[in-house]
Amino acid sequence: FDPRHYLGTHCYSLPKTGPHRLRFLLESVKDLRETLKKKGSTLVVRKGKPEDVVRDLITQLGSVTAVVFHEEVREVL
């Protein structure tokens, strides 16, 4: 979870993620984790800036050969 997604917006400082969306996200992650456990896998969940968290996780695991990601489309004002 990237803390920057929960700050106010640039315009009017409106919340980017309200309480209902946050609850949906948390319930979805919990459900995904439970589904993966039933299949013998797991889900790593971290809080922090992805550029820091992913680097630290790669260092911790040590045997990572590839990292795949997608870039969020940003709104241009």
Side-chain angles (χ1 to χ4, degrees):
F1 290 95
D2 187 341
R4 295 172 290 195
H5 289 183
Y6 307 97
L7 301 173
T9 59
H10 298 290
C11 298
Y12 309 110
S13 196
L14 297 171
K16 291 181 183 180
T17 303
H20 300 292
R21 181 175 182 197
L22 180 58
R23 184 177 331 129
F24 172 77
L25 289 170
L26 293 172
E27 289 173 356
S28 298
V29 168
K30 180 181 177 184
D31 183 65
L32 177 58
R33 178 180 268 162
E34 290 171 2
T35 300
L36 289 170
K37 280 186 178 182
K38 289 177 186 174
K39 297 182 180 292
S41 190
T42 191
L43 177 66
V44 176
V45 179
R46 297 286 187 268
K47 176 184 171 192
K49 294 179 180 179
E51 56 271 24
D52 298 331
V53 172
V54 172
R55 182 191 61 234
D56 295 345
L57 190 56
I58 290 169
T59 302
Q60 180 184 358
L61 294 172
S63 61
V64 176
T65 58
V67 176
V68 179
F69 66 95
H70 78 279
E71 185 174 352
E72 183 177 353
V73 176
R74 297 193 183 247
E75 194 175 333
V76 178
L77 299 176

